[in-house]
Amino acid sequence: MDSQFYTFEHNGIKWTALSKYSHLMENRVLRRIEELPSLEKCKLIKHNVYRNVYRYKPNHPSAAGVYIKRYRLRDWREKFLAKFRQSQAHREWKMMLLMRQRGFPVPEPIALGERWNKRMVENYLVTLEIPFAVPLREAEGVESEKLMAALASLANKLRKENIFYKDFQLGNILLKKRGSEPHVFLVDLHSARLFTALSKGQVSFMLAKLIDSFAPTLTPQDQDTFLTLYSEYDPF
Protein backbone atom coordinates (compact mmCIF):
# COMPACT_ATOMS: atom_id res chain seq x y z
CA MET A 1 0.00 0.00 0.00
CA ASP A 2 1.22 3.52 -0.90
CA SER A 3 2.55 5.35 2.19
CA GLN A 4 0.00 8.05 1.40
CA PHE A 5 -2.61 5.61 2.71
CA TYR A 6 -3.00 3.33 5.69
CA THR A 7 -5.38 0.42 6.20
CA PHE A 8 -6.99 -1.29 9.17
CA GLU A 9 -10.03 -3.42 9.95
CA HIS A 10 -12.55 -2.90 12.73
CA ASN A 11 -15.79 -4.83 13.34
CA GLY A 12 -15.58 -6.37 9.91
CA ILE A 13 -15.17 -3.05 8.09
CA LYS A 14 -11.99 -2.78 6.02
CA TRP A 15 -10.75 0.81 5.92
CA THR A 16 -8.39 2.62 3.57
CA ALA A 17 -7.63 6.18 4.63
CA LEU A 18 -5.23 9.00 3.91
CA SER A 19 -2.35 8.80 6.38
CA LYS A 20 -2.36 12.52 7.18
CA TYR A 21 -5.85 12.22 8.68
CA SER A 22 -5.19 9.03 10.65
CA HIS A 23 -5.43 10.50 14.15
CA LEU A 24 -8.68 12.36 13.60
CA MET A 25 -10.41 9.75 11.50
CA GLU A 26 -9.38 6.48 13.11
CA ASN A 27 -9.76 7.53 16.74
CA ARG A 28 -12.77 9.83 16.56
CA VAL A 29 -14.88 8.63 13.68
CA LEU A 30 -13.95 5.45 11.82
CA ARG A 31 -13.82 3.12 14.82
CA ARG A 32 -17.21 4.46 15.95
CA ILE A 33 -18.89 4.58 12.56
CA GLU A 34 -21.56 2.07 13.53
CA GLU A 35 -22.93 4.54 16.06
CA LEU A 36 -24.42 6.57 13.21
CA PRO A 37 -26.77 8.38 13.32
CA SER A 38 -26.30 8.89 17.07
CA LEU A 39 -22.53 9.46 16.82
CA GLU A 40 -21.71 12.67 18.67
CA LYS A 41 -21.31 15.75 16.49
CA CYS A 42 -22.86 13.99 13.48
CA LYS A 43 -25.97 15.26 11.72
CA LEU A 44 -28.00 13.47 9.04
CA ILE A 45 -28.30 15.81 6.06
CA LYS A 46 -29.56 13.52 3.26
CA HIS A 47 -31.47 10.25 3.21
CA ASN A 48 -32.78 7.87 0.56
CA VAL A 49 -33.29 4.12 0.19
CA TYR A 50 -29.65 3.30 -0.59
CA ARG A 51 -27.62 6.13 0.92
CA ASN A 52 -27.45 8.35 3.99
CA VAL A 53 -25.16 11.36 4.20
CA TYR A 54 -23.93 12.72 7.54
CA ARG A 55 -21.89 15.76 8.47
CA TYR A 56 -19.36 15.44 11.29
CA LYS A 57 -17.97 18.64 12.79
CA PRO A 58 -15.13 18.57 15.36
CA ASN A 59 -15.39 20.80 18.43
CA HIS A 60 -12.69 23.26 17.38
CA PRO A 61 -14.35 26.04 15.33
CA SER A 62 -11.40 26.30 12.93
CA ALA A 63 -11.32 22.55 12.17
CA ALA A 64 -12.84 21.39 8.91
CA GLY A 65 -15.75 19.00 9.10
CA VAL A 66 -16.21 15.82 7.11
CA TYR A 67 -19.07 14.26 5.20
CA ILE A 68 -19.83 10.57 5.64
CA LYS A 69 -21.81 8.64 3.04
CA ARG A 70 -23.17 5.28 4.12
CA TYR A 71 -24.35 2.99 1.35
CA ARG A 72 -26.52 -0.04 2.08
CA LEU A 73 -27.57 -2.53 -0.58
CA ARG A 74 -30.75 -4.35 0.37
CA ASP A 75 -32.05 -5.43 -3.03
CA TRP A 76 -30.94 -9.00 -3.91
CA ARG A 77 -29.99 -7.98 -7.47
CA GLU A 78 -27.74 -5.18 -6.24
CA LYS A 79 -26.12 -7.50 -3.70
CA PHE A 80 -25.47 -10.10 -6.37
CA LEU A 81 -23.90 -7.58 -8.76
CA ALA A 82 -21.82 -6.10 -5.93
CA LYS A 83 -19.93 -9.39 -5.62
CA PHE A 84 -18.51 -8.92 -9.13
CA ARG A 85 -17.69 -5.24 -9.19
CA GLN A 86 -16.39 -2.47 -6.97
CA SER A 87 -18.82 -0.90 -4.55
CA GLN A 88 -20.38 2.46 -5.34
CA ALA A 89 -18.35 4.00 -2.53
CA HIS A 90 -15.16 2.47 -3.97
CA ARG A 91 -15.89 3.77 -7.46
CA GLU A 92 -16.53 7.28 -6.17
CA TRP A 93 -13.39 7.11 -3.99
CA LYS A 94 -11.21 6.22 -6.99
CA MET A 95 -12.86 8.81 -9.23
CA MET A 96 -12.38 11.59 -6.69
CA LEU A 97 -8.71 10.68 -6.24
CA LEU A 98 -8.27 10.67 -10.02
CA MET A 99 -10.06 13.97 -10.50
CA ARG A 100 -8.01 15.67 -7.80
CA GLN A 101 -4.84 14.41 -9.50
CA ARG A 102 -6.07 16.04 -12.71
CA GLY A 103 -6.78 19.36 -11.02
CA PHE A 104 -10.55 19.19 -10.68
CA PRO A 105 -12.17 21.17 -7.87
CA VAL A 106 -13.67 18.29 -5.88
CA PRO A 107 -13.65 17.47 -2.14
CA GLU A 108 -10.72 15.46 -0.80
CA PRO A 109 -11.70 11.80 -0.24
CA ILE A 110 -10.08 10.77 3.03
CA ALA A 111 -11.45 7.33 3.92
CA LEU A 112 -13.16 4.33 2.32
CA GLY A 113 -14.79 1.58 4.39
CA GLU A 114 -16.26 -1.67 3.05
CA ARG A 115 -18.00 -4.54 4.80
CA TRP A 116 -19.50 -7.62 3.14
CA ASN A 117 -21.70 -10.23 4.75
CA LYS A 118 -24.64 -12.42 3.78
CA ARG A 119 -27.29 -10.07 5.07
CA MET A 120 -26.02 -6.69 3.93
CA VAL A 121 -23.43 -4.94 1.82
CA GLU A 122 -22.40 -1.77 3.67
CA ASN A 123 -19.88 0.79 2.48
CA TYR A 124 -18.69 4.19 3.64
CA LEU A 125 -17.06 7.14 1.91
CA VAL A 126 -15.66 10.00 4.00
CA THR A 127 -14.73 13.30 2.35
CA LEU A 128 -13.28 16.51 3.73
CA GLU A 129 -15.56 19.52 3.97
CA ILE A 130 -14.79 22.52 1.75
CA PRO A 131 -14.83 25.38 4.28
CA PHE A 132 -17.20 28.27 3.52
CA ALA A 133 -18.55 26.61 0.37
CA VAL A 134 -22.32 26.64 -0.05
CA PRO A 135 -24.69 25.00 -2.54
CA LEU A 136 -24.63 27.11 -5.66
CA ARG A 137 -28.41 27.55 -5.56
CA GLU A 138 -28.06 29.23 -2.14
CA ALA A 139 -25.22 31.57 -3.09
CA GLU A 140 -25.82 35.31 -2.98
CA GLY A 141 -24.02 38.34 -4.31
CA VAL A 142 -22.19 36.55 -7.12
CA GLU A 143 -21.41 38.40 -10.34
CA SER A 144 -23.33 36.54 -13.02
CA GLU A 145 -20.75 36.66 -15.82
CA LYS A 146 -17.94 35.49 -13.53
CA LEU A 147 -20.08 32.59 -12.37
CA MET A 148 -20.91 31.62 -15.95
CA ALA A 149 -17.21 31.77 -16.82
CA ALA A 150 -16.40 29.42 -13.90
CA LEU A 151 -19.11 26.96 -14.99
CA ALA A 152 -18.00 27.12 -18.64
CA SER A 153 -14.39 26.44 -17.63
CA LEU A 154 -15.50 23.47 -15.50
CA ALA A 155 -17.64 22.03 -18.30
CA ASN A 156 -14.74 22.35 -20.71
CA LYS A 157 -12.35 20.62 -18.30
CA LEU A 158 -14.71 17.64 -18.04
CA ARG A 159 -14.70 17.43 -21.85
CA LYS A 160 -10.92 17.77 -22.18
CA GLU A 161 -10.21 15.18 -19.48
CA ASN A 162 -12.78 12.75 -20.98
CA ILE A 163 -14.85 12.50 -17.82
CA PHE A 164 -18.54 11.83 -18.36
CA TYR A 165 -20.42 13.16 -15.35
CA LYS A 166 -23.96 11.94 -15.81
CA ASP A 167 -25.35 14.14 -13.03
CA PHE A 168 -23.65 17.42 -13.96
CA GLN A 169 -26.15 19.93 -12.61
CA LEU A 170 -26.39 22.88 -10.21
CA GLY A 171 -27.57 20.68 -7.35
CA ASN A 172 -24.15 18.97 -7.35
CA ILE A 173 -22.08 22.16 -7.44
CA LEU A 174 -20.82 24.14 -4.46
CA LEU A 175 -19.64 27.72 -4.63
CA LYS A 176 -16.99 29.48 -2.59
CA LYS A 177 -16.10 33.15 -3.01
CA ARG A 178 -12.59 34.50 -2.68
CA GLY A 179 -13.02 38.23 -2.83
CA SER A 180 -15.22 38.84 -5.85
CA GLU A 181 -14.11 35.64 -7.62
CA PRO A 182 -16.44 32.63 -7.54
CA HIS A 183 -14.90 29.15 -7.32
CA VAL A 184 -17.07 26.14 -8.10
CA PHE A 185 -16.67 22.57 -6.80
CA LEU A 186 -18.22 19.30 -7.98
CA VAL A 187 -19.74 16.93 -5.41
CA ASP A 188 -21.65 13.61 -5.46
CA LEU A 189 -19.42 12.05 -8.10
CA HIS A 190 -20.76 8.48 -7.96
CA SER A 191 -22.06 8.82 -11.53
CA ALA A 192 -18.77 10.17 -12.99
CA ARG A 193 -16.79 7.87 -15.29
CA LEU A 194 -13.48 8.19 -17.15
CA PHE A 195 -13.50 7.39 -20.89
CA THR A 196 -10.77 7.17 -23.49
CA ALA A 197 -12.67 9.83 -25.42
CA LEU A 198 -16.08 11.44 -25.01
CA SER A 199 -18.58 11.31 -27.85
CA LYS A 200 -20.39 14.46 -28.98
CA GLY A 201 -23.53 12.89 -27.55
CA GLN A 202 -21.97 12.57 -24.08
CA VAL A 203 -20.71 16.16 -24.15
CA SER A 204 -24.11 17.41 -25.32
CA PHE A 205 -25.82 15.37 -22.60
CA MET A 206 -23.72 17.00 -19.87
CA LEU A 207 -24.29 20.50 -21.24
CA ALA A 208 -28.04 19.90 -21.53
CA LYS A 209 -28.18 18.46 -18.00
CA LEU A 210 -26.43 21.52 -16.60
CA ILE A 211 -28.51 24.05 -18.55
CA ASP A 212 -31.77 22.30 -17.68
CA SER A 213 -30.90 22.79 -14.01
CA PHE A 214 -30.40 26.57 -14.32
CA ALA A 215 -34.04 27.50 -13.63
CA PRO A 216 -35.15 29.05 -11.36
CA THR A 217 -31.76 30.05 -9.90
CA LEU A 218 -30.29 31.40 -13.14
CA THR A 219 -31.90 33.31 -16.01
CA PRO A 220 -32.19 32.69 -19.77
CA GLN A 221 -29.61 35.46 -20.19
CA ASP A 222 -27.25 33.50 -17.93
CA GLN A 223 -27.79 30.49 -20.19
CA ASP A 224 -26.84 32.52 -23.28
CA THR A 225 -23.75 33.86 -21.50
CA PHE A 226 -22.71 30.36 -20.44
CA LEU A 227 -23.04 28.99 -23.99
CA THR A 228 -21.12 31.94 -25.44
CA LEU A 229 -18.28 31.50 -22.96
CA TYR A 230 -18.25 27.71 -23.36
CA SER A 231 -18.06 28.00 -27.16
CA GLU A 232 -14.79 29.90 -26.73
CA TYR A 233 -13.33 26.62 -25.41
CA ASP A 234 -15.28 24.24 -27.60
CA PRO A 235 -16.88 25.56 -30.81
CA PHE A 236 -19.06 22.39 -30.92
Side-chain angles (χ1 to χ4, degrees), residues 10-11 28-40 42 54 70 124:
H10 183 68
N11 285 349
R28 298 183 185 177
V29 181
L30 300 187
R31 291 189 182 276
R32 301 176 58 204
I33 203 81
E34 292 173 296
E35 296 178 31
L36 291 172
S38 59
L39 182 64
E40 185 182 1
C42 268
Y54 303 87
R70 178 164 68 180
Y124 299 87

Side-chain angles (χ1 to χ4, degrees), residues 134 136 138-144 146-147 175 177 179-182:
V134 299
L136 193 152
E138 300 175 13
E140 298 179 353
V142 182
E143 187 177 327
S144 177
K146 288 185 177 181
L147 177 57
L175 186 138
K177 289 198 298 181
S180 63
E181 297 299 317

Side-chain angles (χ1 to χ4, degrees), residues 144-145 148 151 170 210-229:
S144 177
E145 186 162 345
M148 293 305 101
L151 290 175
L170 292 192
L210 178 63
I211 291 170
D212 283 347
S213 73
F214 275 17
T217 307
L218 303 175
T219 67
Q221 183 178 354
D222 291 328
Q223 175 179 318
D224 291 341
T225 302
F226 169 79
L227 289 172
T228 298
L229 292 170

Side-chain angles (χ1 to χ4, degrees), residues 95-104 106 163 186 189:
M95 179 54 66
M96 293 179 80
L97 289 172
L98 171 71
M99 292 179 76
R100 284 183 64 84
Q101 287 178 348
R102 298 191 177 196
F104 278 93
V106 302
I163 291 178
L186 289 173
L189 294 162

Side-chain angles (χ1 to χ4, degrees), residues 8-188:
F8 72 97
E9 184 171 344
H10 183 68
N11 285 349
I13 302 175
K14 295 181 178 180
W15 287 100
T16 300
L18 290 184
S19 298
K20 62 182 177 179
Y21 297 108
S22 60
H23 179 70
L24 167 66
M25 296 310 301
E26 185 175 346
N27 295 337
R28 298 183 185 177
V29 181
L30 300 187
R31 291 189 182 276
R32 301 176 58 204
I33 203 81
E34 292 173 296
E35 296 178 31
L36 291 172
S38 59
L39 182 64
E40 185 182 1
K41 299 186 284 293
C42 268
K43 180 181 179 180
L44 177 66
I45 60 172
K46 186 182 293 186
H47 167 75
N48 58 39
V49 175
Y50 296 106
R51 181 182 62 176
N52 288 350
V53 182
Y54 303 87
R55 182 174 181 265
Y56 169 82
K57 181 68 175 178
N59 286 326
H60 197 286
S62 65
V66 298
Y67 286 92
I68 304 166
K69 292 184 181 181
R70 178 164 68 180
Y71 296 89
R72 285 185 171 180
L73 304 183
R74 300 177 185 273
D75 179 83
W76 70 268
R77 180 178 177 276
E78 288 293 322
K79 287 183 180 180
F80 176 79
L81 292 175
K83 296 180 183 297
F84 302 99
R85 64 186 183 187
Q86 291 176 334
S87 69
Q88 192 169 0
H90 198 134
R91 293 196 299 272
E92 187 169 5
W93 160 266
K94 290 183 66 176
M95 179 54 66
M96 293 179 80
L97 289 172
L98 171 71
M99 292 179 76
R100 284 183 64 84
Q101 287 178 348
R102 298 191 177 196
F104 278 93
V106 302
E108 186 172 17
I110 56 179
L112 168 71
E114 298 178 289
R115 175 167 58 195
W116 308 80
N117 59 44
K118 292 181 179 180
R119 292 175 300 172
M120 182 180 296
V121 178
E122 188 173 57
N123 304 294
Y124 299 87
L125 177 65
V126 186
T127 60
L128 194 65
E129 177 185 42
I130 301 171
F132 308 111
V134 299
L136 193 152
R137 293 189 186 279
E138 300 175 13
E140 298 179 353
V142 182
E143 187 177 327
S144 177
E145 186 162 345
K146 288 185 177 181
L147 177 57
M148 293 305 101
L151 290 175
S153 176
L154 184 57
N156 179 65
K157 187 169 180 61
L158 287 169
R159 177 186 64 84
K160 286 178 61 179
E161 296 290 343
N162 298 314
I163 291 178
F164 179 53
Y165 184 24
K166 193 175 182 180
D167 205 15
F168 184 39
Q169 45 102 358
L170 292 192
N172 288 330
I173 298 176
L174 301 181
L175 186 138
K176 178 177 180 177
K177 289 198 298 181
R178 294 178 184 144
S180 63
E181 297 299 317
H183 295 263
V184 291
F185 298 85
L186 289 173
V187 296
D188 284 341

